[in-house]
Amino acid sequence: MAIIDTFTYRDLDAHRVGRFNFGINTSFICYRLQDTLIDCGPSNQWKYVKPFVEAKPFKQILLTHHHEDHSGNAGSIYQLSGVQPQAPDITIDIMNRGFKIPLMQRVIWGSADRVKAAPLREDLTIGDEAVAPVFTPGHAKDMTCYLLKDRGWLFSADLYIANYLKFLRIDEHIPTLLDSTRHALSCDFNTLICPHRGVVENGKKKLQEKYDYLVELSTNAQAQRQSGSDLLEITESLLGKDGMMSKLSGYNFSKRNLIRSCLDVDLSAV
Ligand SMILES: [Zn+2]
């Protein structure tokens, strides 16, 4: 499995790649809007990303966060084109230091080279449209979405993906994710450009659904905790038992992580 899909949406070019075609969680969409690439795709798909990158000229690369499916080819594209990727300051630090990729993710996406990214330009634009970086930690501590207010688009990185979730990585944090989602929902957009799900029209409504789902899950988890249930009992009752996938990841990616993090949500603030 390699190139899964190529499509356009208005003036946006999109190219979905992935080693495994098990749906949106194992494939990644590289986007080009006018003169800009948004994220770089996983390194184990470089031979399929390269022709997409070479197909049209571009002047700018914007990274949303350091995760290997987003940054994996940043070094290769930099080397190929001479265009230095731009990234939020925290992402630059993480990419300079290098980061550990859990085995399961390395199998799905490959590795990520250390790359020296440049800070985001002030007065960031794509073509002649203004772009506002929207800092949205929670999924990753460095994650930033990019808002094109004039057209009502949000390049949403991994903020949305689906309107519910059942598993959480150990380094994700639901209270922070809820804060970030509220922040994003206060922005002016209607379409989400998601590197896993694709183009999501009525995206604000969908993101609100995900937010509401997580608040409800947190409310239910905390009610069960109050009645004396422990983490595994709450997890099983609300999401079902952790299966083989959680076990294989050493519970790095599991249902219990999601419930544990939901128990930390301050429900008076949501
Ligand atoms: Zn990510």
Side-chain angles (χ1 to χ4, degrees):
M1 192 52 61
I3 300 167
I4 296 165
D5 193 17
T6 294
F7 62 93
T8 57
Y9 177 78
R10 292 173 46 183
D11 51 348
L12 179 73
D13 297 322
H15 191 63
R16 187 190 283 274
V17 296
R19 180 177 179 190
F20 302 106
N21 189 11
F22 297 147
I24 60 162
N25 287 320
T26 58
S27 62
F28 187 92
I29 306 172
C30 300
Y31 288 114
R32 175 175 44 234
L33 181 64
Q34 300 186 15
D35 58 7
T36 299
L37 298 180
I38 296 93
D39 283 332
C40 296
S43 65
N44 67 5
Q45 299 304 299
W46 171 237
K47 85 173 161 172
Y48 304 105
V49 172
K50 190 169 176 249
F52 175 74
V53 167
E54 287 175 323
K56 287 183 192 170
F58 59 92
K59 291 195 297 210
Q60 180 168 253
I61 303 165
L62 299 179
L63 293 174
T64 59
H65 63 304
H66 71 282
H67 283 162
E68 66 283 354
D69 44 338
H70 299 254
S71 75
N73 293 315
S76 301
I77 299 176
Y78 186 10
Q79 213 168 36
L80 181 76
S81 64
V83 177
Q84 186 176 19
Q86 293 174 54
D89 291 348
I90 313 178
T91 309
I92 294 174
D93 285 348
I94 297 172
M95 289 177 63
N96 275 343
R97 281 201 310 267
F99 54 94
K100 217 171 154 244
I101 303 172
L103 178 64
M104 197 162 72
Q105 289 165 232
R106 266 205 322 271
V107 171
I108 297 172
W109 304 119
S111 58
D113 293 336
R114 290 188 190 198
V115 180
K116 183 133 191 58
L120 296 172
R121 269 189 12 229
E122 283 185 33
D123 301 324
L124 197 59
T125 54
I126 292 180
D128 52 13
E129 288 176 63
V131 178
V134 182
F135 185 49
T136 47
H139 162 74
K141 63 181 176 189
D142 59 326
M143 205 177 79
T144 297
C145 299
Y146 295 103
L147 174 70
L148 279 79
K149 205 170 154 188
D150 291 346
R151 60 168 82 200
W153 286 13
L154 183 71
F155 283 91
S156 54
D158 289 342
L159 186 64
Y160 173 64
I161 303 183
N163 52 5
Y164 70 93
L165 54 101
K166 277 191 151 188
F167 297 86
L168 202 72
R169 292 162 54 129
I170 195 100
D171 55 348
E172 292 181 285
H173 191 241
I174 294 296
T176 310
L177 182 67
L178 287 174
D179 289 347
S180 291
T181 306
R182 272 201 311 279
H183 177 42
L185 285 168
S186 73
C187 296
D188 238 345
F189 71 92
N190 194 38
T191 302
L192 290 173
I193 314 292
C194 172
H196 296 284
R197 174 69 62 182
V199 175
V200 183
E201 292 180 332
N202 290 318
K204 189 175 266 195
K205 185 169 161 275
K206 295 283 187 188
L207 188 60
Q208 181 71 53
E209 283 171 14
K210 180 177 181 181
Y211 180 84
D212 293 343
Y213 163 82
L214 287 171
V215 169
E216 195 187 329
L217 187 65
S218 303
T219 306
N220 293 337
Q222 293 187 24
Q224 292 197 17
R225 167 54 61 89
Q226 293 262 308
S227 332
S229 301
D230 69 20
L231 176 66
L232 294 187
E233 288 165 347
I234 303 170
T235 304
E236 191 174 339
S237 135
L238 294 176
L239 299 174
K241 269 191 178 155
D242 267 315
M244 189 53 85
M245 204 168 41
S246 305
K247 232 177 252 169
L248 279 175
S249 75
Y251 298 97
N252 173 61
F253 187 64
S254 64
K255 294 176 179 176
R256 64 191 63 178
N257 287 345
L258 175 55
I259 295 298
R260 188 185 293 113
S261 200
C262 284
L263 290 171
D264 288 339
V265 170
D266 176 359
L267 291 171
S268 67
V270 295

